[in-house]
Amino acid sequence: MKPGVYKATKKDGTAYYRGNITYNGKHISLGSFDSETECTKAYKEAWDILRDSSISILSINHKIKHLTFEKCITLINFRDNHIYIKTPIYLQKNYFLYYLDKSTVLKFDNDDLFYYSSHKIQNRGGHMFVSDYGMQYNILGRYGIKPYSVKGRDYIFANGDSTDLRYSNIVVVNKYHGVYKEEKKGKTVYAAKIHLNGDFIVGRYHDEATAAIAYNKAVDLCKSRGMTKSFPVNYITEYTPREYADLYTEIKISSHLYKFFRNKNFREA
C-alpha cells in the first residue's frame, strides 16, 4: 500500500481505503475512500496543504479535489494556528470562524471554542443545531433564545449579520413566551398575549417578568376551563418561589379573558 493508505473491509465484505497522516506529532484521519488511488491523492493533498501556506481557504476549491471541505479547514487551521480541531473551525485573534459549508461562515466568541470543538453544527432548512446525548439543541438556545422565538421580533442581530453569533451582536428583545415589548407614550411596557382564537391581550405590565407571570396565569385559566391546547409555560428566574406565588395572586389579567370562557360556544384555536 502507498504511504498513509490503509485497506479496510465493510460488513458486507466490500473493500475500502482509509487515509491517515501524521503532522507535528498529531495522527489525523483523512476519511474513507472507495479506491486506493483516490485515497493516495487525498493523502498528497493533505501534505500540500500542510506544507504550502499559499493554499488558503479561498483557494482550496481550485486546488483540492479529493479531501472534504471540512477536512481542508481543519488542516489549514492546524497549519496556521498550530492547534488541531476536528470540527471545521478557523481561529482568529479574538473570535473564531465555523464553516458550515463553502458559502456559510459563522462567527463565535472564543468563549464558545471548547463547546464547538467537540460539537458539530448541522444545518437543516436554516435550522442550526447540535446533537448532544441523542437530543438536538438549537444553537440559539445558548443565548437564551427560545425555540418559538421569531427573529426581528424576539431577538435581533445588532449589526444586521445573522451569521455573527458573538454575544455582543445578539440582542434578546422578548425572552419570555407570550411577552412583547412595546413603547407607549415614550415609556416601555410589556404586553402579555395568549393565542386563543387569535392573539388575546392578557394585560400590559411594567416589567417583563411580571408580564410572563400574567401569561402563565392566563394559561392556567385556559386549562382550568377545559382547554386541551398545549401552551408553553414560562420558567421565571427573577423571583423566588414565594415571591412568584405572591405576584401570581396579585396580578390582574384581562376581564375579557373570563368573558371569553363564559361563552359556552367558544372553540379552541
Side-chain angles (χ1 to χ4, degrees), residues 10 26 57 68 73 82 118 128 176 189 236 247 261:
K10 298 179 182 178
K26 179 68 177 178
I57 294 173
T68 65
I73 300 300
H82 314 294
S118 57
M128 293 183 291
Y176 290 117
V189 295
I236 298 163
L247 281 169
F261 287 108

Side-chain angles (χ1 to χ4, degrees), residues 69-131:
F69 177 76
E70 288 187 3
K71 185 58 63 176
C72 291
I73 300 300
T74 63
L75 292 173
I76 291 173
N77 182 69
F78 191 25
R79 179 196 69 198
D80 295 349
N81 296 304
H82 314 294
I83 299 175
Y84 183 77
I85 301 172
K86 65 180 181 180
T87 52
I89 285 173
Y90 188 85
L91 300 176
Q92 300 287 354
K93 185 175 181 181
N94 297 313
Y95 64 96
F96 65 90
L97 303 175
Y98 190 109
Y99 284 80
L100 271 182
D101 53 50
K102 296 176 182 178
S103 59
T104 309
V105 187
L106 307 177
K107 301 182 186 73
F108 290 97
D109 284 312
N110 285 335
D111 289 346
D112 287 325
L113 180 59
F114 179 79
Y115 184 78
Y116 289 115
S117 294
S118 57
H119 292 81
K120 183 178 179 180
I121 301 175
Q122 300 178 65
N123 185 14
R124 189 172 297 158
H127 171 63
M128 293 183 291
F129 62 93
V130 298
S131 295

